[in-house]
């Protein structure tokens, strides 16, 4: 929502409101209310005279949604209370609202369905007219929210989970238009805690009979003054107030005849407060914003629904209850709102503790003293002052750091600062580097370290006078005094053995066993390398890369090649003693490409021919890595090995493995052994590689089990990558493999790197996740680090923090560039500190939280049973939300689930992590797949985990063909698929094109060049290149999605009702999974139950 938009023209509180038939309007703020016909309802807890069957004038009801509930949620199990009693939301449109939702602290009422008798809670209510009895107040307030005229206070916080009206077309998948109000001109929202309410009920063993009514001592008495608004669960409403732009109700799953309007007794507004409206009590948690239409999920009563607050009518069979999926928090909606609100303005990093836009929003960053969120994202930007408070909230304090992240072209790379022989200026005590937070004192002759408070002398050559504010007059001329991220050229003191490094080398190590030759892999690879070697990474401006290259082929033995430029033909040397590996040649093994071009081309032509008739099926693996590392050691340089490997290394040699794949171990205590390496030999080898600065990238082409858990140990510990192409076939997988290879060879890498994270007094880094090695507790050692890799750091308190000074992080990365230059890259970030839990919950970043929790869980499976890991995640999430409920939310009925605004997507995303292949594998998921995904996620950044766990589903025929923008996504659920449409689904690794069975023939012809649905080839991996607008648009969209991801996504065309559809449905993460994972709705109810248990 834009704070500067003017509010819709509505009378504020304290002025007479419009009156509708059936609504008694009492005096507001002392002004006499207009008279209105008397209510058709009896008093609370009195008999109901009957429902009004005709809608009030001016209100028409949309026909109920015909969409069938999914099988997984439609029927409640016997003996359990069903989860919710509402179907898809109906819409009654008034004038469209033009406001949009900001990521303000606000709240989500999601329809409350208390199961147990509601506990009366004392509530302060400003009298509007005659003061009601306390019993009436309690009976009416429990589980109720207000929606009335716009008051110039409280943010328009709820998420009705329709889209805002202005986004209705953009977010295509929601039937409900906007439920957001707007701020008056120029007024900021008050800082009140956000929360959402959801009336999900956990299953109960025996539902108490009195759960369907409120009990109240006062069963008679005058009716309370009332305003229109959402009602107690099970009550309906008489008609929308004119001040509400959109009016939404949810019909029950049993369809009502069109035109039927249910009405129920309206309730009073909760107390509200505004600086301009004295006399109204502040609602502490900001849970009910002004100008909200009634919430979806406050369903109108229907035959058989419990009517809270009145005596039940004659017993009638209850329809199956279920939560309306549109009324629970929608990831799509949150992403859409953030894009609209924060995508247009640059994110300026000058202010401490700002929460950045979501990773799904395109935004520009202006560095003004704090590192860009592209480099560092935190789980919370406001951290508790004490460890007790942190333990109470259970919110992990972590930062996901991507030190060499690539920036978009419109943002400048970090400046390189050269301080000459004296090197970068540092604190004498804690060794932190000069940064914008250092305080200069004594006229600029000394500075106080912002991390440890030590006073240091400023060297004479660095001295500069201070201005009247105490800032150096050259602050804006020096990147290290004005920017959050910058680089220093390192002096010789920062180099190994006190000498500057040589440029790094790349060694290509190619498996030439029978499988690799027969599949066509070797020929394809050699052909590609001829041209690819021209594109090795280079420092900006240089004409050619400084990187030298070498070549090795292997099966049971290793073949080294001398490609010295003076030779007419390459020479091969064979090392068959794999137990004691050595490099048979030094001169001529690592060469400059431009000098040895002819010899290298000749070698790459010869390799496929030399081994064309091989019958050797066995391979070695550890000796190959050993050989590459020894070659780099002999050349005294760092570098990278590119290994292309096809099978389990069973030949007699160090690192020999056996097939230990055993699906019977799944769901047992021994399951963790499937993720652990078979032998300790690879850890030892990895340690030697890191010491040499030898990074390993592994390309696997398995036809069966190859023990990825063991083979990936060296890539994982050296900062490398693993790529896996199961059952590789040139015609199907060529494009994916070559695209990954090109990107991997060309990307900028920092070699022989060491990273340290320093913090200001009060917190310290205690745990690290990612692809690296650690020989002590503070230094993250990376033989190689590229722009895709992240290191996740968890912090704990070791002292009390101060709200005024906040907390500081400094990440320093020492590395060798592609040109052999030793550099230091520094990233600084200042965070706020708080003494109120509400401030912590208001400044969290759910995407980063999920990134951390997934990595924590994926490391946990190495040492604990998978079930224990899953339970730990659920418990932690429940504790986070229960702490918010207990300490930050205002009292409300236990039947409501209350979520903080910033964390309302925590349950849906956490459920996706719990259902992932690592933690809950389906029958078709191999052990190797699980190990592969486990190590992939370990170094993913926040944007990658976001789309990996909650895939994007894009309808292709909804948006106009001429539109150049990406079509708006829909929620990842089968309910959202229409069989007359085509959808693209992507999760960063996979790309599916789902074709509905009723797609128009013209669309099929335009995309697939066949005349009917039945003629489309299922499993097709590329679309024909056709000269028509739809074909161009879809192929262009696929290309742009691939360009956004770090790995090439191979396309799979899936037809509705086809056998491949099961694979596609695995990615519809809001639904129940075949492996037993809960649907989003079920998991939300389960979380609610867990929270209630913790609170009771």
């Amino acid at each position: 929502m834009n704070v500067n938009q003017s509010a819709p023209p509505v009378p504020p509180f304290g002025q007479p409101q419009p009156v509708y038939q059936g609504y008694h309007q009492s005096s507001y703020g002392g002004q006499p209310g207009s008279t209105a016909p008397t209510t058709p309802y009896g008093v609370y807890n009195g008999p109901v005279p009957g429902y009004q069957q005709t809608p009030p004038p001016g209100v028409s009801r949309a026909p109920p949604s015909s969409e069938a509930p999914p099988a997984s949620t439609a029927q409640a199990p016997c003996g359990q209370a069903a989860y919710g009693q509402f179907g898809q939301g109906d819409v009654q449109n008034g004038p469209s609202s033009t406001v949009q939702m900001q990521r303000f602290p606000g709240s989500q009422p999601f329809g409350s369905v208390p199961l147990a008798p509601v506990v009366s809670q004392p509530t302060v209510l400003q009298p509007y007219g005659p003061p009601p009895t306390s019993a009436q107040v309690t009976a009416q307030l429990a589980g109720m929210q207000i929606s009335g005229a716009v008051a110039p206070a409280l943010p328009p916080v709820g998420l009705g989970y329709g889209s805002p009206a202005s986004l209705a077309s953009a977010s295509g998948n929601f039937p409900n238009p906007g439920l957001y109000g707007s701020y008056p001109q120029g007024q900021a929202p008050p800082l009140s805690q956000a929360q959402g309410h959801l009336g999900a009920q956990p299953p109960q063993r025996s539902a108490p009979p009195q759960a369907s009514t409120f009990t109240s001592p006062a069963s008679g008495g005058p009716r309370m003054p009332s305003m229109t608004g959402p009602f107690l669960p099970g009550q309906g409403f008489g008609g929308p107030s004119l001040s509400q732009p959109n009016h939404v109700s949810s019909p029950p799953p049993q369809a009502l005849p069109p035109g039927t309007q249910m009405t129920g007794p309206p309730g009073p507004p909760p107390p509200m407060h505004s600086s301009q409206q004295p006399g109204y009590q502040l609602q502490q948690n900001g849970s009910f914003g002004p100008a909200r239409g009634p919430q979806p999920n406050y369903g109108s009563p229907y035959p058989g629904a419990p009517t809270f607050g009145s005596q039940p009518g004659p017993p009638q069979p209850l329809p199956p209850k279920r939560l309306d999926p549109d009324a629970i928090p929608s990831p799509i909606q949150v992403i859409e709102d953030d894009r609209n609100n924060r995508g247009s303005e640059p994110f300026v990093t000058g202010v401490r503790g700002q929460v950045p836009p979501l990773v799904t929003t395109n935004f520009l960053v202006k560095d003004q003293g704090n590192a860009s969120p592209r480099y560092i994202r935190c789980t919370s930007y406001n951290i508790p002052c004490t460890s007790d408070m942190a333990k109470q909230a259970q919110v992990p304090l972590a930062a996901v750091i991507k030190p060499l992240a690539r920036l978009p072209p419109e943002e400048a790379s970090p400046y390189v600062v050269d301080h000459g022989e004296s090197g970068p200026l540092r604190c004498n005590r804690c060794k932190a580097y000069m940064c914008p937070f250092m305080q200069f004192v004594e006229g600029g002759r000394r500075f106080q370290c912002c991390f440890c408070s030590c006073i240091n002398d400023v060297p004479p050559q660095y001295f500069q006078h201070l201005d009247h504010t105490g800032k150096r007059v050259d602050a804006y001329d020096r990147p290290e005094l004005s920017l959050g991220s910058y680089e220093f050229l390192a002096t010789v003191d920062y180099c190994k053995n006190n000498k500057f490094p040589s440029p790094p080398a790349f060694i290509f190590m190619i498996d030439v066993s029978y499988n690799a030759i027969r599949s066509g892999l070797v020929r394809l690879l050699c052909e590609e390398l001829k041209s690819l070697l021209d594109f090795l990474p280079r420092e900006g401006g240089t004409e050619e890369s400084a990187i030298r290259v070498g070549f090795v082929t292997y099966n049971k033995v290793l073949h080294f090649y001398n490609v010295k430029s003076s030779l007419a033909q390459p020479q091969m040397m064979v090392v068959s003693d794999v137990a004691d590996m050595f490099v048979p040649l030094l001169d001529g093994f690592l060469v400059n490409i431009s000098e040895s071009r002819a010899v290298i081309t000749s070698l790459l032509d010869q390799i496929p021919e030399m081994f064309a008739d091989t019958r050797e099926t066995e391979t070695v693996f550890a000796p190959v890595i050993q050989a590459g590392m020894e070659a780099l050691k002999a050349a005294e340089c760092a570098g990278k090995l590119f290994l292309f490997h096809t099978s389990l290394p069973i030949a007699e040699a160090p690192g020999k493995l056996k097939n230990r794949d055993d699906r019977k171990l799944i769901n047992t205590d021994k399951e963790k052994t499937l993720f652990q390496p078979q032998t300790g030999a690879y850890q030892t080898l990895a340690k030697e590689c890191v010491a040499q600065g030898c990074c390993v990238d592994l390309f696997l082409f398995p036809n069966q089990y190859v023990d990825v858990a063991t083979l990936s140990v060296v890539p994982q510990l050296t900062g490398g990558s693993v790529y896996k192409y199961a059952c590789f076939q040139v015609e199907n997988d060529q494009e994916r493999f070559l695209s990954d290879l090109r990107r991997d060879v060309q990307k900028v890498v920092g070699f022989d790197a060491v990273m340290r994270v320093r913090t200001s007094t009060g917190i310290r880094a205690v745990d690290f996740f990612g692809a690296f090695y650690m020989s002590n507790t503070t230094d993250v050692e990376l033989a190689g680090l590229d722009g895709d890799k992240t290191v996740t750091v968890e912090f704990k308190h070791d002292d009390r923090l101060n709200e005024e000074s906040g907390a500081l992080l400094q990440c320093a990365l020492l590395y060798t560039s592609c040109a052999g230059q030793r550099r230091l890259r520094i990233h600084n970030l200042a965070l706020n500190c708080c003494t109120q839990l509400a401030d912590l919950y208001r400044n969290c970043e759910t995407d980063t939280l999920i990134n951390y929790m997934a990595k924590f869980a994926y490391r946990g499976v190495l040492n604990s049973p998978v079930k224990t890991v899953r339970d730990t995640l659920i418990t932690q999430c429940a504790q986070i939300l229960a702490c918010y409920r207990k300490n930050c939310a205002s009292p409300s009925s236990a039947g409501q689930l209350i979520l903080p605004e910033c964390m309302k997507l925590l349950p849906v995303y956490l459920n996706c992590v719990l259902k992932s292949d690592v933690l809950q594998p389906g029958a078709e998921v191999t052990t190797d797949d699980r190990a592969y995904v486990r190590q992939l996620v370990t170094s993913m950044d926040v944007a990658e985990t976001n789309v990996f766990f909650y895939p994007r589903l894009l309808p292709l025929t909804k948006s106009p063909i001429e539109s150049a923008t990406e079509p708006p996504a829909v929620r990842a659920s089968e309910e959202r698929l229409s069989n007359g449409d085509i959808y693209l689904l992507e999760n960063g690794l996979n790309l599916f094109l789902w074709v509905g069975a009723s797609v128009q023939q013209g669309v099929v012809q335009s995309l697939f060049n066949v005349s009917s649905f039945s003629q489309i080839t299922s499993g097709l991996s590329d679309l024909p290149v056709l000269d028509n607008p739809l074909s161009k648009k879809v192929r262009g969209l696929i290309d742009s999605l691939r360009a956004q991801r770090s790995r090439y996504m191979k396309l799979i065309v899936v037809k509705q009702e086809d056998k491949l559809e099961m694979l596609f449905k695995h990615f519809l993460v809001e639904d129940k999974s075949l492996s037993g994972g809960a649907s989003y709705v079920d998991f939300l109810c389960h979380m609610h139950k867990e929270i209630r248990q913790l609170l009771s």
Side-chain angles (χ1 to χ4, degrees):
M1 144 154 310
N2 186 335
V3 222
N4 298 323
Q5 281 173 312
S6 55
V10 292
F13 287 142
Q15 291 180 15
Q17 310 290 314
V19 176
Y20 303 100
Q21 176 191 354
Y23 282 64
H24 173 71
Q25 180 101 1
S26 182
S27 54
Y28 277 72
Q31 299 176 356
S34 324
T35 55
T38 52
T39 170
Y41 308 111
V43 290
Y44 274 101
N45 288 347
V48 184
Y51 289 112
Q52 175 182 334
Q53 289 298 327
T54 53
V59 179
S60 65
R61 186 181 179 98
S65 161
S66 59
E67 206 166 340
S72 61
T73 51
Q75 190 67 44
C78 293
Q80 290 186 341
Y83 285 140
Q85 59 186 37
F86 314 113
Q88 294 285 62
D90 269 3
V91 183
Q92 294 167 348
N93 286 322
S96 160
S97 157
T98 53
V99 293
Q100 294 149 357
M101 175 74 178
Q102 270 251 44
R103 289 175 73 199
F104 287 130
S107 60
Q108 327 323 319
F110 321 161
S112 142
V113 190
L115 268 186
V118 174
V119 183
S120 297
Q121 298 169 343
T123 312
V124 187
L125 197 74
Q126 286 295 104
Y128 301 91
T133 67
S134 67
Q136 286 169 317
V137 175
T138 339
Q140 283 193 308
L141 275 186
M144 195 190 78
Q145 282 127 34
I146 184 169
S147 84
V150 174
L154 293 175
V157 279
L159 211 58
Y161 298 106
S163 56
S166 58
L167 302 180
S169 60
S171 42
N173 57 328
F174 290 13
N176 307 350
L179 300 175
Y180 308 118
S182 150
Y183 295 116
Q185 189 72 31
Q187 185 167 329
L191 293 173
S192 53
Q193 287 94 281
Q195 66 185 43
H197 299 241
L198 169 59
Q201 308 126 254
Q204 287 200 341
R205 285 171 189 77
S206 59
Q210 70 270 46
S212 62
T213 60
F214 290 116
T215 48
S216 163
S219 58
R223 267 195 76 237
M224 287 185 61
S226 60
M227 274 178 69
T228 59
F231 306 99
L232 305 184
Q235 293 175 348
F237 28 85
S241 87
L242 291 178
S243 63
Q244 295 160 3
N246 295 292
H247 183 67
V248 181
S249 74
S250 301
Q254 291 184 339
L256 289 164
T260 307
Q261 169 74 32
M262 299 304 193
T263 55
M272 303 209 46
H273 176 73
S274 150
S275 53
Q276 290 147 11
Q277 300 263 332
Y280 294 131
Q281 179 92 12
L282 172 65
Q283 176 91 9
Q284 174 260 344
N285 62 350
S287 93
F288 315 121
R292 296 184 45 90
Q295 303 310 309
N297 244 12
Y298 278 71
S300 312
Y302 49 93
T307 50
F308 296 97
S310 56
Q311 296 300 332
Q316 282 166 329
L318 273 169
K321 299 176 178 179
R322 68 179 282 258
L323 265 174
D324 175 6
D326 278 335
I328 53 182
S330 155
I332 305 303
Q333 189 57 52
V334 172
I335 288 168
E336 194 70 43
D337 290 338
D338 195 76
R339 279 182 182 158
N340 287 321
N341 296 309
R342 305 196 65 181
S344 52
E345 294 292 308
F347 178 69
V348 180
T349 71
V351 182
R352 181 177 85 188
Q354 283 184 102
V355 183
L358 296 180
V359 284
T360 43
T361 299
N362 279 329
F363 60 98
L364 267 181
V365 180
K366 288 190 174 168
D367 185 342
Q368 291 191 359
N370 282 295
S372 160
R374 303 192 204 288
Y375 295 122
I376 306 182
R377 274 188 180 263
C378 295
T379 52
S380 179
Y381 287 80
N382 202 331
I383 59 182
C385 281
T386 64
S387 59
D388 290 346
M389 193 171 150
K391 280 183 194 132
Q392 188 185 358
Q394 287 284 317
V395 176
L397 304 175
V400 180
I401 306 174
K402 196 174 178 184
L404 297 180
R406 284 186 304 279
L407 301 180
E410 48 281 12
E411 289 175 26
S413 296
Y415 288 96
V416 181
V417 179
D418 186 359
H419 282 316
E421 285 183 16
S422 61
L425 188 55
R426 305 176 70 175
C427 168
N428 292 329
R429 185 198 287 162
C430 71
K431 302 295 181 215
Y433 293 88
M434 180 52 69
C435 71
F437 312 124
M438 298 287 190
Q439 196 68 45
F440 287 87
V441 292
E442 297 178 26
R445 285 187 295 279
R446 308 178 89 184
F447 71 92
Q448 181 173 20
C449 175
C450 51
F451 293 92
C452 69
S453 304
C454 173
I455 304 280
N456 299 270
D457 290 331
V458 173
Q461 72 274 16
Y462 199 76
F463 172 78
Q464 186 54 271
H465 294 287
L466 308 185
D467 65 14
H468 64 286
T469 64
K471 243 186 157 161
R472 283 173 55 121
V473 295
D474 66 346
Y476 292 106
D477 301 330
R478 289 188 176 271
E480 74 273 22
L481 299 180
S482 57
L483 298 177
S485 302
Y486 42 87
E487 290 198 323
F488 292 119
L489 282 187
T491 57
V492 75
D493 307 335
Y494 291 87
C495 303
K496 262 188 195 161
N497 308 326
N498 277 1
K499 65 179 200 184
F500 284 112
S502 309
F506 283 179
I507 303 176
F508 296 90
M509 316 190 88
I510 304 166
D511 175 348
V512 287
S513 63
Y514 176 72
N515 280 340
I517 296 291
R518 190 197 59 181
S519 68
L521 168 66
V522 174
R523 189 174 294 280
L524 178 71
L525 174 60
C526 290
E527 202 52 48
E528 175 63 26
L529 284 177
K530 288 183 204 168
S531 56
L532 184 55
L533 294 176
D534 289 331
F535 297 98
L536 299 183
R538 64 196 74 185
E539 289 291 290
T542 53
E543 279 193 19
E544 60 178 58
S545 175
I547 294 173
R548 292 169 296 162
V549 295
F551 300 90
V552 173
T553 56
Y554 68 93
N555 38 47
K556 261 174 36 175
V557 297
L558 277 78
H559 323 104
F560 292 80
Y561 297 92
N562 184 345
V563 283
K564 200 171 173 181
S565 57
S566 55
L567 296 172
Q569 283 293 322
Q571 294 172 347
M572 177 163 103
M573 300 189 182
V574 180
V575 177
S576 52
D577 183 4
V578 288
D580 184 19
M581 185 44 64
F582 66 96
V583 181
L585 77 163
L586 289 180
D587 188 31
F589 178 63
L590 293 177
V591 296
N592 181 297
I593 291 163
S594 55
E595 291 171 11
S596 298
R597 159 92 47 217
V599 194
I600 291 173
T601 305
S602 170
L603 171 67
L604 293 171
D605 283 336
Q606 288 175 38
I607 288 174
E609 308 308 327
M610 267 192 288
F611 299 99
D613 301 326
T614 184
R615 285 284 170 267
E616 185 55 77
T617 55
E618 292 187 359
T619 56
V620 295
F621 188 72
V624 184
I625 296 174
Q626 180 85 34
M629 184 196 61
E630 296 290 348
L632 294 175
K633 201 183 240 173
E636 295 185 345
C637 69
K640 186 184 266 201
L641 313 181
F642 295 86
L643 244 84
F644 304 90
H645 189 81
T646 59
S647 57
L648 193 68
I650 54 171
E652 271 315 318
K656 174 186 174 180
L657 301 178
K658 61 178 192 290
N659 187 335
R660 53 158 188 170
D661 189 15
D662 186 357
R663 290 194 65 84
K664 291 198 287 294
L665 297 182
I666 292 176
N667 295 326
T668 69
D669 283 353
K670 288 188 175 171
E671 183 173 6
K672 59 186 179 223
T673 59
L674 297 174
F675 296 110
Q676 296 164 351
Q678 266 188 56
T679 156
Y682 286 97
Q683 266 116 328
T684 313
L685 181 57
K687 191 175 166 182
E688 291 173 29
C689 286
V690 171
Q692 184 48 49
C694 168
C695 172
V696 179
D697 279 359
L698 175 60
F699 291 80
L700 284 171
F701 305 87
N703 290 334
Q704 54 203 26
Y705 178 75
V706 288
D707 199 349
V708 172
T710 306
L711 296 188
S712 65
V713 166
V714 179
Q716 177 78 5
L717 291 176
T718 59
S721 307
V722 179
Y723 298 85
K724 179 167 163 284
Y725 310 88
C727 304
F728 179 81
Q729 293 175 304
V730 169
E731 57 278 9
N732 289 340
D733 302 295
Q734 162 178 350
E735 197 177 351
R736 179 174 156 226
F737 163 55
L738 293 182
S739 175
D740 285 343
L741 175 65
R742 286 169 193 149
R743 200 170 181 284
D744 197 55
V745 167
Q746 293 173 35
K747 66 187 170 191
V748 173
V749 183
F751 293 97
D752 211 357
V754 182
M755 182 179 119
R756 182 176 280 198
V757 178
R758 293 179 174 83
T759 52
S760 54
T761 313
I763 53 169
R764 63 195 166 89
V766 292
D767 207 351
F768 299 84
F769 304 82
F772 52 76
Y773 176 75
M774 290 185 83
S775 54
N776 57 35
T777 56
T778 54
D779 294 336
V780 174
E781 298 173 47
L782 303 123
L785 175 68
D786 60 55
D788 297 325
K789 298 280 189 312
T790 64
V791 176
T792 302
V793 187
E794 187 185 5
F795 303 97
K796 288 261 165 74
H797 287 74
D798 57 8
D799 203 349
R800 194 184 167 85
L801 291 166
N802 182 333
E803 266 189 292
E804 276 165 34
S805 52
L808 303 174
L809 318 177
Q810 184 180 77
C811 160
L813 177 79
L814 174 65
Y815 71 99
T816 302
S817 75
C818 294
Q821 200 175 46
R822 202 72 175 145
R823 292 184 177 181
L824 279 153
R825 180 169 287 200
I826 313 294
H827 298 297
N828 303 288
L829 186 63
L831 302 173
N832 286 329
C833 298
C834 58
T835 52
Q836 299 294 319
L837 283 165
D839 292 324
L840 163 69
Y841 284 102
R842 199 181 288 124
N843 291 281
C844 285
E845 240 254 303
T846 301
D847 294 326
T848 311
L849 204 54
I850 288 294
N851 181 286
Y852 165 83
M853 290 171 110
K855 290 171 180 176
F856 180 80
Y858 280 19
R859 187 176 68 183
V861 297
L862 292 172
N863 308 308
S864 308
V866 170
K867 184 180 185 309
T868 310
V869 173
R870 290 166 48 81
D871 291 346
T872 306
L873 278 185
I874 292 173
T875 306
Q876 182 171 18
C877 180
Q879 283 172 329
I880 290 171
L881 298 175
C883 174
Y884 175 81
R885 172 77 189 246
K886 184 177 173 187
N887 298 290
C888 307
S890 67
S892 57
S893 121
Q896 289 176 319
L897 173 57
I898 300 182
L899 302 170
E901 169 69 16
C902 288
M903 288 189 189
K904 65 191 170 212
L905 299 181
L906 188 59
V908 62
Y909 286 162
L910 184 73
N911 189 35
C912 297
V913 175
L914 293 170
K915 285 159 62 166
S916 62
D917 292 339
V918 173
L919 298 182
Q920 197 162 29
E924 73 295 339
V925 180
T926 66
T927 307
D928 273 348
D929 285 336
R930 296 177 74 195
Y932 174 62
V933 167
R934 195 194 75 78
Q935 63 84 30
L936 261 186
V937 168
T938 309
S939 47
M940 274 187 184
D941 71 8
V942 180
E944 287 171 323
T945 50
N946 174 274
V947 76
F948 178 73
F949 289 115
Y950 192 95
R952 279 165 59 186
L953 183 61
L954 307 171
L956 298 185
T957 57
K958 294 260 169 69
S959 56
I961 288 185
E962 55 282 356
S963 160
T965 55
E966 229 168 67
V970 296
R971 291 168 70 165
S973 166
E974 197 177 344
E975 279 195 336
R976 310 285 164 175
L977 299 176
S978 144
N979 58 8
D981 205 348
I982 294 181
Y983 296 81
L984 259 183
L985 181 143
E986 65 117 355
N987 74 342
L989 298 178
N990 308 84
L991 189 60
F992 293 94
L993 186 74
W994 183 88
V995 187
S998 313
V999 168
Q1000 291 174 356
Q1001 189 183 343
V1003 171
V1004 171
Q1005 184 72 49
S1006 299
L1007 270 186
F1008 301 99
N1009 207 20
V1010 294
S1011 55
S1012 70
F1013 173 80
S1014 58
Q1015 291 174 299
I1016 300 171
T1017 312
S1018 182
L1020 198 68
S1021 58
D1022 47 15
L1023 295 176
V1025 178
L1026 302 173
D1027 188 15
N1028 66 66
L1030 182 63
S1031 176
K1032 285 176 182 170
K1033 179 181 174 175
V1034 173
R1035 285 182 290 111
L1037 178 60
I1038 290 171
D1039 289 344
S1040 88
L1041 291 178
R1042 284 172 173 161
Q1044 292 168 26
R1045 306 289 169 218
S1046 60
R1047 293 177 181 234
Y1048 183 90
M1049 298 182 291
K1050 179 181 165 185
L1051 180 71
I1052 300 176
V1053 173
V1054 177
K1055 293 165 69 177
Q1056 188 175 1
E1057 307 295 335
D1058 187 79
K1059 59 181 187 294
L1060 272 174
E1061 200 181 28
M1062 296 316 293
L1063 178 62
F1064 171 77
K1065 284 181 180 174
H1066 175 69
F1067 297 98
L1068 300 177
V1069 289
E1070 287 198 21
D1071 301 336
K1072 260 198 176 80
S1073 69
L1074 286 172
S1075 53
S1079 70
Y1080 175 19
V1081 168
D1082 291 353
F1083 183 70
L1084 204 51
C1085 298
H1086 177 68
M1087 279 313 305
H1088 190 198
K1089 181 177 155 197
E1090 294 280 326
I1091 292 165
R1092 287 173 72 166
Q1093 281 175 347
L1094 286 172
L1095 292 173
S1096 61

